[in-house]
Amino acid sequence: MSSSASIRRLSPQVVGKIAAGEVVERPASVVKELVENSLDAGARRIDVAVGRGGLDLIRVSDDGHGIDAADLPLAFERYATSKLSTEGDLERVATLGFRGEALPSIAAVAEVEMASRSPDAAAGAFVRLEEGAVINSGGEGMPAGTSVVVRRLFGRQPARLKFLRSPSAEAAQIATVVSHYALAYPEVRFSLTVDGRPTLHTPGSGRVADAAAGVYGQRVAESLLSISPEEAADAATNTDGLSVAGLLGAPPLSRANRSYVSLFVNRRWIRNRPLTFAVEEAYRGLLTAGRFPIAVIDIRLPPGDVDVNVHPAKTEVRLRSEREVFGVIQRRVRGVLSRHSPVPDLSASAWTGSGVGTVAGMVVEAKVQPALLPPSGALSASPPAPVEGMAAARQLPVLRALGQVGTTYVVAEGPEGLYLVDQHAAHERILFERFLSHRDAAAEERQALLEPVPVELTPRQQALVQEIAEALEEQGFSLEPFGERAYLVRAVPAALGEKDVAQAVLRFLDLLEREDAVSDRRQRVAISLACHTAIRAGQPLNPEEMRELLRQLEETQMPRTCPHGRPTMIHLSADALAREFRRR
Ligand code: ADP
Ligand code: MG
């Protein structure tokens, strides 16, 4: 650990370049600033305790390099920092803090006490401030490190208090801040105590998977897939020094809102809509509508390619090459997911639990088999992963169709035991990928009508048809406006194949309307068309058809889920069978 660097006042020129604004909006912003200071001080252990949502008490202590006793009061002066000195430094900030604003801003709205000792100092020292002014200081016996106690936050700013939410809501925000730093810094041991109750703890082992277990719980952590740092594949982009690593929730693991996508740029937790969207897009077709992924994305760039000085709370950054970063994230996330899309595993306990003896009566829940993490889950130390877009056929074992159950599921045998394949979901997957690969529907996939057929659309359908006209065209639809709300259908995709064209088109539009969670137009059309066209449950299949279905499924990129993200198959492993029959 380097010893403490001296704190200096920034020159007026540098101060003038700093993005000004409110640093301390709520208790969580205090925690964020204090934790960032501890990380900048090279701490390996950071303990956070809060009382009543942080309004009564916030205490952050660390074992970092501390502050020299003589510098303690200077730390509370505005624009005094040990982290940069020249304007040039502002172009390549490598620390989380750099403005010398946080401590004075906190001291202006709370009572603060800071005690610190650098490892080479014989003793520590403390300062106590009220309303921004030092009211007491002295020596303090303490281990090396720094401890900051903030009391009565906004005690003299009743107007500010009114804008805060309930203490438990504020405590939840604090937990979010600590969680994110714990994920970004797995080598640091974090703990959070809320109103005396330990609420979060990470071991500081250096493995992100361990930090994720502390933050999200063991069960979630076990089903996280690792994105290891890229190799040659991404060297092709012209962003030198860009790396993307992290952890991804396997698709069955999803959340009802998008706050579980955590982005870090050079280990700074940031918000960025486009990059969050890049992650969500990569999950398209793997999660059901309204569900969002869990992801921890660790982006590293040369400091000169990132401008961190654009937002007062430093939660937004400007990237010089956001487009490339977007592309790399999307490809890498997609690559990991397509290699790992899991087969739900029908465990022996679920099997027994349902009390069913025959496959036909099966109503048991599919339990998802946790995907295995590679031995090292560390963001930076995982083995290189194979390049995405690997031979798709290998993602599914070769399956042999045995028969059909309830005219809905195909029973199949594979090297790993028994599989039940949902015929509709499987066919949807096959057709979805086929439709999506059409650029312009070839003549044989497009059915021109001898007589144009009129259809009448609702205003909503009309708006939709206009909005995605191009994607419809690509799939072989030709719809021509014809008066108020009417359209003339001149051609349809051959796959639509029904005698009553008007009815088929309306039914298709119905499905299309419902797929409103799919933002990509081509995907939306392809999903709806696949759903419209796929064989239904209840349709008898002969052995040849079943074989063909499995063969085509094997050739898809993501054979294990339908385009809506539901499983296409469940699995009863050979092991589970042996256990059930007490063969072992
Ligand atoms: P900044 O982090 O932008 O420099 P702050 O107001 O947050 O500004 O902190 C001012 C200075 O106080 C820092 O530059 C650093 O030298 C010192 N400091 C604050 N917290 C700690 C800590 N936990 N450990 C060591 N030094 C600290
Ligand atoms: Mg700071």
Side-chain angles (χ1 to χ4, degrees), residues 175-258:
T176 302
V177 167
V178 177
S179 301
H180 280 95
Y181 280 107
L183 289 171
Y185 291 81
E187 75 277 25
V188 178
R189 212 172 75 202
F190 277 89
S191 76
L192 170 66
T193 308
V194 174
D195 295 322
R197 271 175 290 109
T199 50
L200 186 149
H201 173 89
T202 62
S205 66
R207 292 165 32 101
V208 204
D210 292 341
V215 170
Y216 292 129
Q218 190 61 42
R219 206 186 62 79
V220 168
E222 272 168 9
S223 56
L224 292 173
L225 312 169
S226 141
I227 322 175
S228 42
E230 57 271 52
E231 346 105 58
D234 282 320
T237 66
N238 38 21
T239 319
D240 288 331
L242 165 64
S243 92
V244 172
L247 291 175
L248 299 173
L253 198 74
S254 63
R255 289 292 183 265
N257 67 64
R258 46 168 60 89

Side-chain angles (χ1 to χ4, degrees), residues 5-7 33-34 37-38 40-41 62 64-67 74-77 80-83 96-104 114 116 145-148 314:
S6 65
I7 302 178
E33 294 294 338
L34 296 180
N37 279 348
S38 297
D40 281 345
D62 66 53
H65 61 49
I67 307 175
L74 201 51
F76 287 89
E77 258 186 52
T81 178
S82 56
K83 300 172 193 172
L96 294 167
F98 52 88
R99 296 173 174 145
E101 270 191 309
L103 292 180
M114 184 182 218
S116 191
T146 302
S147 161
V148 182
K314 299 165 289 176

Side-chain angles (χ1 to χ4, degrees), residues 202-475:
T202 62
S205 66
R207 292 165 32 101
V208 204
D210 292 341
V215 170
Y216 292 129
Q218 190 61 42
R219 206 186 62 79
V220 168
E222 272 168 9
S223 56
L224 292 173
L225 312 169
S226 141
I227 322 175
S228 42
E230 57 271 52
E231 346 105 58
D234 282 320
T237 66
N238 38 21
T239 319
D240 288 331
L242 165 64
S243 92
V244 172
L247 291 175
L248 299 173
L253 198 74
S254 63
R255 289 292 183 265
N257 67 64
R258 46 168 60 89
S259 67
Y260 291 84
V261 172
S262 310
L263 301 172
F264 302 94
V265 169
N266 292 349
R267 311 196 87 189
R268 181 189 302 279
W269 174 35
I270 58 141
R271 292 174 212 273
N272 182 305
R273 279 296 296 136
L275 298 185
T276 305
F277 188 66
V279 177
E280 286 170 16
E281 279 295 293
Y283 274 82
R284 177 71 64 218
L286 294 171
L287 296 180
T288 41
R291 302 296 295 179
F292 297 92
I294 296 181
V296 177
I297 310 287
D298 181 24
I299 304 157
R300 305 288 177 99
L301 283 161
D305 288 354
V306 187
D307 187 357
V308 292
N309 187 28
V310 293
H311 187 271
K314 299 165 289 176
T315 53
E316 281 168 28
V317 297
R318 193 176 295 135
L319 303 179
R320 217 177 58 185
S321 46
E322 191 172 273
R323 288 247 313 278
E324 277 102 310
V325 177
F326 184 101
V328 171
I329 290 183
Q330 203 175 27
R331 283 202 306 281
R332 295 191 54 74
V333 172
R334 197 68 182 171
V336 170
L337 293 177
S338 60
R339 267 177 280 120
H340 289 271
S341 50
V343 177
D345 179 32
L346 197 60
S347 74
S349 60
W351 191 267
T352 337
S354 72
V356 282
T358 64
V359 176
M362 203 174 57
V363 287
V364 286
E365 271 190 341
K367 178 177 142 262
V368 174
Q369 188 171 37
L372 289 178
L373 272 179
S376 165
L379 283 181
S380 49
S382 312
V387 181
E388 54 192 74
M390 279 183 0
R394 254 172 288 143
Q395 295 171 11
L396 204 63
V398 177
L399 301 180
R400 189 166 67 90
L402 301 175
Q404 198 186 18
V405 172
T407 57
T408 299
Y409 308 105
V410 174
V411 188
E413 184 197 26
E416 285 296 307
L418 181 70
Y419 293 79
L420 286 164
V421 178
D422 181 314
Q423 63 194 41
H424 176 72
H427 200 206
E428 257 186 340
R429 164 54 65 185
I430 295 165
L431 293 172
F432 171 66
E433 291 192 7
R434 187 177 303 159
F435 293 145
L436 205 56
S437 68
H438 289 174
R439 268 305 168 177
D440 276 299
E444 69 267 23
E445 287 156 349
R446 182 192 186 97
Q447 185 192 341
L449 305 178
L450 293 175
E451 289 272 324
V453 175
V455 290
E456 194 175 317
L457 308 188
T458 65
R460 251 184 78 183
Q461 287 172 331
Q462 200 178 2
L464 185 61
V465 164
Q466 279 164 4
E467 191 195 319
I468 60 176
E470 213 174 306
L472 288 170
E473 191 90 17
E474 235 178 60
Q475 287 301 339

Side-chain angles (χ1 to χ4, degrees), residues 97-117:
F98 52 88
R99 296 173 174 145
E101 270 191 309
L103 292 180
S105 306
I106 296 167
V109 291
E111 298 170 21
V112 179
E113 185 177 323
M114 184 182 218
S116 191
R117 201 198 107 195

Side-chain angles (χ1 to χ4, degrees), residues 16-41:
K17 295 235 152 115
I18 281 175
E22 205 62 70
V23 179
V24 182
E25 263 176 50
R26 56 183 350 114
S29 15
V30 174
V31 172
K32 173 175 181 290
E33 294 294 338
L34 296 180
V35 166
E36 288 187 352
N37 279 348
S38 297
L39 290 168
D40 281 345

